[in-house]
């Protein structure tokens, strides 16, 4: 497929909008298991005795540890802490059909379709190899023995962080585990749910003073083959490099042998949604030249000079007591399903927005502010801010009033007619200028735009729960969101929505 044939991305985006998705009835007896379980691989238990960090949630999401060249090689215990804070299980709840395992990062439908894989050199407590992280028993399954960072270096066209990093964590999606409920729209959720995981990963790395970089540009077939993935059903979607060995290792030239470790069936049968596979193929990169060319591009965004009244953000400068610690925040995090119609303060909203948008260390972004998404807000009940619709001007760090008024009913409608966005104190919408993104990055820009929005969305979760209120990620009526915020949002496309506020339980 040709990544520059952007009509493929437009076709997928337009056919998976709400409204317009076909009626769907879930077969509960055929619900997929939320775990990928290898039948015959030995479990390598991960230690759990690492002391938690003292960094607050707001500090952890706002500070990116720079690779200054000093050696930083995590051991198995530290790696385990990062894995737990990224995708570990924090509680389980019984119901008539079985048990639901809730994890540390938000996931659409609590279906947990993203798996983590580790590619590493020799670490203290862990031999070099390729591993699968199994959250159900908190262990690693060795898929390959040996140092395969050279293969990863080729797959990423020599990204500077690969051969210097002792560890790379790969997020991979098994499409059926989410498509069971959400059909072809599940491909959007691939990046929504990867983004919330990466928000936790980056924050956990910051909390332990470990450099980390997100990579979205790579040769898809090479990485899928290294992990032993069935490319018809599952796919690698992102890499995050962890740590620094202090030197760039030489690139190995050996090609990995094929592997095919048997896994337990996910359900009695799997339903195929070809639009997912077509969109993923249309956004693949096939050579090192394509990857390096993709990485050298940059999005040219339209200027956003303010025309409405500006409300500068009122955020805390001292974060030592502005929120709970990252670990305690993650242990309490959920997705608020019922908001009380009570306010949050403008300072709480300011902290959430300011510290969630301090930049993402990623190969598709330049240093500084978010490049692929614009942030719009409906303020329903924020003390110190008039109710209305706003645009977050990141360059001026201020909210620009687009229209004043009570828009609770409109917020409820935009959030697919649900009470959650209508009852929330504020709703944060991410909209992307897809023509500009596609011009720079081709179809793969669709992956990047979704991923960036949801990394920031995951940070909104952490900022909200760290300050003792709640958040919930939601779907939306795509074109109605654009129309509501127009003319300012004209030509932009909705990527993600996060509702913020106090839960009914918390308010009482």
């Amino acid at each position: 497929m040709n990544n520059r044939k952007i009509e493929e991305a437009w076709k997928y985006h337009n056919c998976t909008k709400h409204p317009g998705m076909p009626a769907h009835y879930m077969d509960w007896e055929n619900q997929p298991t939320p775990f990928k379980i290898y039948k015959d691989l030995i479990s390598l238990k991960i230690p759990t005795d690492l002391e938690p960090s003292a960094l607050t949630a707001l500090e952890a999401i706002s500070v990116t540890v720079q690779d200054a060249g000093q050696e930083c090689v995590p051991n198995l215990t530290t790696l385990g802490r990062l894995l737990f804070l990224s995708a570990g299980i924090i509680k389980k709840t019984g119901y008539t059909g079985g048990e639901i395992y809730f994890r540390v990062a938000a996931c659409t439908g609590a279906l947990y379709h993203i798996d983590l894989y580790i590619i590493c050199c020799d670490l203290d407590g862990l031999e070099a190899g390729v591993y699968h992280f199994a959250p159900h028993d908190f262990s690693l399954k060795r898929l390959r023995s040996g140092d395969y960072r050279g293969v990863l270096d080729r797959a990423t066209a020599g990204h500077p962080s690969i051969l210097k990093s002792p560890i790379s964590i790969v997020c991979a999606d098994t499409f059926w585990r989410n498509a069971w409920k959400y059909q072809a729209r599940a491909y959007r959720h691939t990046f929504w749910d990867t983004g919330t995981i990466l928000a936790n990963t980056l924050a956990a790395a910051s909390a332990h003073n470990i450099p980390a970089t997100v990579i979205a540009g790579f040769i898809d077939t090479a990485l899928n083959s290294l992990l032993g993935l069935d490319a018809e059903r599952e796919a690698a979607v992102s890499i995050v490099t962890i740590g620094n060995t202090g030197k760039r290792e030489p690139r190995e030239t050996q090609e990995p042998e094929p592997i095919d470790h048997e896994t337990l069936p996910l359900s009695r049968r799997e339903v195929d949604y070809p639009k997912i596979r077509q969109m993923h193929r249309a956004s693949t990169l096939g050579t090192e030249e394509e990857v390096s060319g993709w990485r050298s591009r940059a999005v040219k965004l339209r200027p956003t000079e303010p025309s409405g009244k500006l409300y500068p953000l009122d955020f805390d400068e001292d974060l030592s007591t502005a929120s709970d610690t990252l670990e305690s925040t993650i242990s309490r995090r959920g997705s608020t399903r019922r908001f009380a119609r009570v306010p949050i303060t403008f300072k709480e909203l300011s902290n959430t927005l300011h510290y969630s948008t301090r930049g993402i260390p990623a190969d598709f972004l330049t240093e500084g502010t978010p490049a692929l998404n614009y942030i719009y807000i409906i303020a329903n009940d924020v003390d110190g801010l008039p109710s209305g619709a706003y645009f977050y001007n990141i360059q001026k760090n201020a909210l620009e009033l687009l229209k004043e008024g009570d828009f609770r009913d409109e917020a409820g409608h935009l959030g697919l007619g649900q009470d959650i966005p209508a009852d929330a104190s504020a709703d944060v919408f991410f909209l992307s200028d897809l023509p500009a993104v596609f011009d720079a990055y081709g179809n793969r820009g669709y992956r990047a735009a979704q991923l960036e929005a949801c990394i920031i969305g995951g940070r909104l979760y952490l900022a909200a729960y760290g300050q003792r209120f709640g958040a919930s990620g939601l779907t939306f009526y795509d074109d109605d969101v654009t129309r509501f915020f127009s003319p300012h949002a004209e030509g932009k496309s909705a990527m993600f929505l996060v509702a913020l506020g106090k839960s009914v339980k918390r308010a009482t």
Side-chain angles (χ1 to χ4, degrees):
M1 299 291 288
N2 185 353
N3 180 55
R4 304 303 306 180
K5 192 178 178 182
I6 61 172
E7 56 266 29
E8 295 295 330
W10 280 120
K11 182 167 63 176
Y12 173 80
H13 181 68
N14 289 327
C15 78
T16 57
K17 288 180 177 179
H18 288 306
M21 293 293 294
H24 181 57
Y25 302 95
M26 288 179 288
D27 181 357
W28 291 99
E29 293 185 355
N30 196 43
Q31 181 177 357
T33 175
F35 304 111
K36 183 175 186 178
I37 300 177
Y38 289 90
K39 289 183 65 174
D40 301 319
L41 297 182
I42 297 173
S43 294
L44 305 174
K45 290 297 182 180
I46 303 172
T48 59
D49 56 353
L50 183 67
E51 288 294 319
S53 73
L55 214 64
T56 67
L58 289 176
E59 288 174 310
I61 65 173
S62 63
V63 176
T64 299
V65 178
Q66 301 297 316
D67 182 358
Q70 294 94 342
E71 183 175 320
C72 176
V73 181
N75 59 19
L76 175 59
T77 304
T78 304
L79 172 60
R81 174 56 62 113
L82 297 182
L83 293 172
F84 174 76
L85 294 175
S86 298
I89 296 170
I90 48 176
K91 66 176 180 179
K92 61 181 179 179
T93 300
Y95 70 106
T96 305
E99 290 182 317
I100 298 177
Y101 295 81
F102 292 96
R103 302 198 199 175
V104 295
C107 179
T108 50
L111 295 171
Y112 305 113
H113 50 120
I114 306 299
D115 281 289
L116 302 187
Y117 295 81
I118 294 86
I119 301 162
C120 65
C121 63
D122 284 325
L123 307 175
D124 182 7
L126 186 67
E127 295 178 0
V130 179
Y131 298 87
H132 173 258
F133 171 53
H136 67 281
D137 62 359
F138 201 61
S139 70
L140 296 174
K141 317 293 183 185
R142 184 186 290 119
L143 306 177
R144 297 181 186 272
S145 295
D147 189 344
Y148 285 90
R149 289 177 299 159
V151 177
L152 200 57
D153 184 62
R154 288 197 302 277
T156 60
H159 188 280
S161 69
I162 291 291
L163 291 181
K164 291 196 302 181
S165 299
I167 301 166
S168 288
I169 300 175
V170 180
C171 291
D173 185 14
T174 304
F175 300 127
W176 164 240
R177 293 205 327 238
N178 197 260
W180 168 78
K181 181 175 182 179
Y182 296 104
Q183 306 176 85
R185 193 173 168 95
Y187 189 66
R188 299 190 188 202
H189 301 175
T190 295
F191 304 96
W192 292 13
D193 299 327
T194 297
T196 56
I197 288 173
L198 291 180
N200 280 29
T201 306
L202 294 173
S206 293
H208 291 279
N209 201 33
I210 301 170
T213 302
V214 175
I215 300 172
F218 50 83
I219 301 172
D220 295 79
T221 54
L223 187 51
N224 290 337
S225 177
L226 179 63
L227 302 178
L229 302 182
D230 178 356
E232 293 296 303
R233 303 171 51 253
E234 52 189 352
V237 293
S238 73
I239 305 165
V240 58
T241 57
I242 301 292
N244 181 14
T245 60
K247 59 182 178 180
R248 181 177 169 84
E249 305 288 347
R251 178 193 276 197
E252 298 290 339
T253 58
Q254 180 180 356
E255 289 295 328
E257 295 291 328
I259 56 173
D260 185 18
H261 299 294
E262 189 176 1
T263 59
L264 295 179
L266 296 176
S267 55
R268 288 185 290 105
R269 64 187 182 90
E270 296 186 19
V271 178
D272 182 36
Y273 291 93
K275 291 184 179 67
I276 293 176
R277 196 167 57 253
Q278 291 162 7
M279 177 59 208
H280 192 71
R281 285 177 177 170
S283 59
T284 57
L285 301 174
T287 66
E288 290 191 57
E289 290 73 24
E290 280 188 88
V291 173
S292 58
W294 184 85
R295 197 160 61 225
S296 67
R297 306 280 292 184
V299 176
K300 298 177 181 178
L301 296 178
R302 292 174 284 177
T304 54
E305 283 301 315
S307 58
K309 183 177 179 179
L310 292 179
Y311 292 82
L313 295 191
D314 175 28
F315 55 90
D316 284 305
E317 299 280 0
D318 181 5
L319 296 182
S320 60
T321 59
S323 70
D324 293 339
T325 64
L326 177 67
E327 281 89 347
S328 64
T329 296
I330 287 178
S331 69
R332 290 186 292 98
R333 190 216 58 81
S335 287
T336 305
R337 307 316 298 167
R338 288 185 63 207
F339 285 108
R341 292 198 174 196
V342 297
I344 60 173
T345 67
F346 185 44
K347 183 176 287 291
E348 289 171 330
L349 179 61
S350 296
N351 282 339
T352 302
L353 293 173
H354 176 77
Y355 290 110
S356 295
T357 55
R358 293 308 91 198
I360 298 168
D363 63 341
F364 55 89
L365 295 172
T366 54
E367 185 176 348
T369 58
L372 308 185
N373 282 274
Y374 299 85
I375 297 175
Y376 292 83
I377 296 158
I378 297 178
N380 292 323
D381 195 356
V382 179
D383 275 347
L385 184 70
S387 296
Y390 293 85
F391 170 69
Y392 177 27
N393 189 311
I394 296 179
Q395 285 72 33
K396 296 186 180 299
N397 211 16
L399 297 184
E400 177 187 347
L401 179 63
L402 303 180
K403 50 187 174 183
E404 189 171 349
D406 182 351
F407 297 115
R408 282 193 186 274
D409 290 344
E410 289 83 349
H413 166 74
L414 295 178
L416 223 61
Q418 300 178 79
D419 292 335
I420 293 173
D423 294 338
S425 301
D427 299 300
V428 182
F429 295 82
F430 296 86
L431 282 79
S432 184
D433 183 351
L434 287 183
V437 171
F438 291 162
D439 181 63
Y441 292 127
N443 294 322
R444 204 177 187 94
Y446 194 69
R447 303 190 193 184
Q450 300 275 6
L451 190 62
E452 183 210 52
C454 296
I455 291 174
I456 300 173
R459 287 174 170 177
L460 295 179
Y461 265 99
L462 297 175
Y465 279 89
Q467 295 175 93
R468 297 290 177 130
F469 58 96
S472 185
L474 298 165
T475 193
F476 40 81
Y477 287 121
D478 296 67
D479 293 338
D480 288 355
V481 171
T482 301
R483 278 191 287 268
F484 176 79
F485 289 107
S486 287
H488 195 285
E490 187 175 354
K492 302 184 181 80
S493 299
M495 296 287 104
F496 195 44
L497 162 60
V498 179
L500 303 171
K502 296 181 180 177
S503 71
V504 168
K505 181 179 179 180
R506 183 72 183 170
T508 55

